[in-house]
Amino acid sequence: MINKKCFLLLMLFMFFLRGVVSAQNIRVAAAANLQSVIEVLQKDFKQRTGITIEPVIGSSGKLVAQISNGAPFDVFLSADVDFPETLLKNGFALKKPVVYARGSLIICSAQNIAFDNWERLLMTAKIKKIAIANPAIAPYGKAAELLLQNKGVLGEIKSKIVYGESISQVNTYITTQAVEVGFTTQSFIKDAEGKSVVYYKVIDAKYYEPILQGMVILRHGAGNADAEKFYQYILGPYARKIFQTYGYLASQDKK
């Protein structure tokens, strides 16, 4: 028979174990274009709630493949809505995705290039390599390809295009001058502050489909109150202000 002292020690251990389990980090799959902003969101959320998130960064398409193969993520922040919709359709998400931000596409270079007539510039001998993210797995790459197609220059410059596996790789190509120009997210300008000098032009959004970034709570996060808190935080005013600082628009904002 367990004596009183042992019983108290056992109860204390069980209480401690329950606390450890409940304090597990929230695993967040985040699109590559969020690489810098997610760090700020992570710190702000922790400060306001005491809850820690563990972000894993990658192209939206690759993250979907990982989730579909059993990766234990609780929340998915995609660079589009289509990938979260696919997860919902296949039973990996709990409910319909919500748009938490709208992205903007820019043309960018580490060289002091005038982008007033960038379409013509891309076809000159001065520009030898142009970086875009892989359109099959990266929504910003898909937007860039559609832009070039709508501008009527895709066929002319296709041999110059270098595909990055994510928008982060495109940004690296730009800052290291592995390419003369690249198409990336406007948030990259905030990322580059104090690190790299870049020159850019914001692309008129009428030339590509709106980049609506969708979020879902995943099946692994079902019943996780902390995951729900993070989900609501991303849709709230504190996160919205941070997104705006990085060049994003809230879903209800207008260009």
Side-chain angles (χ1 to χ4, degrees), residues 33-197:
N33 66 288
L34 301 173
Q35 186 160 9
S36 291
V37 70
I38 196 70
E39 294 178 8
V40 181
L41 292 166
Q42 179 182 23
K43 290 176 184 176
D44 187 62
F45 182 67
K46 175 70 179 288
Q47 185 177 7
R48 296 181 185 282
T49 65
I51 301 167
T52 299
I53 70 163
E54 181 186 331
V56 176
I57 308 297
S59 66
S60 295
K62 285 193 171 182
L63 290 170
V64 166
Q66 291 175 29
I67 293 163
S68 301
N69 284 305
F73 296 115
D74 300 303
V75 180
F76 177 39
L77 299 177
S78 178
D80 72 352
V81 175
D82 292 342
F83 282 125
E85 286 279 9
T86 298
L87 290 174
L88 178 66
K89 181 180 177 182
N90 294 333
F92 292 100
L94 299 184
K95 56 186 176 182
K96 191 173 178 63
V98 293
V99 175
Y100 63 91
R102 286 197 293 146
S104 297
L105 193 66
I106 64 170
I107 184 170
C108 185
S109 177
Q111 302 173 24
N112 190 359
I113 294 176
F115 288 122
D116 294 337
N117 192 352
W118 61 265
E119 303 96 319
R120 187 177 185 85
L121 174 69
L122 295 184
M123 292 187 285
T124 66
K126 182 178 181 180
I127 305 300
K128 297 177 176 62
K129 292 181 180 179
I130 303 160
I132 71 171
N134 182 347
I137 57 175
Y140 279 85
K142 184 178 179 181
E145 188 175 67
L146 180 60
L147 163 71
L148 295 171
Q149 185 177 356
N150 288 338
K151 284 288 188 175
V153 299
L154 182 60
E156 296 286 334
I157 66 170
K158 200 163 183 65
S159 62
K160 299 183 179 184
I161 293 178
V162 176
Y163 293 100
E165 284 303 300
S166 68
I167 205 69
S168 297
Q169 191 169 55
V170 170
N171 296 342
T172 299
Y173 287 157
I174 293 169
T175 55
T176 60
Q177 299 192 43
V179 300
E180 283 75 31
V181 299
F183 288 91
T184 185
T185 168
Q186 189 174 344
S187 64
F188 174 55
I189 304 307
K190 180 70 174 176
D191 296 348
E193 279 183 7
K195 303 173 189 174
S196 306
V197 176

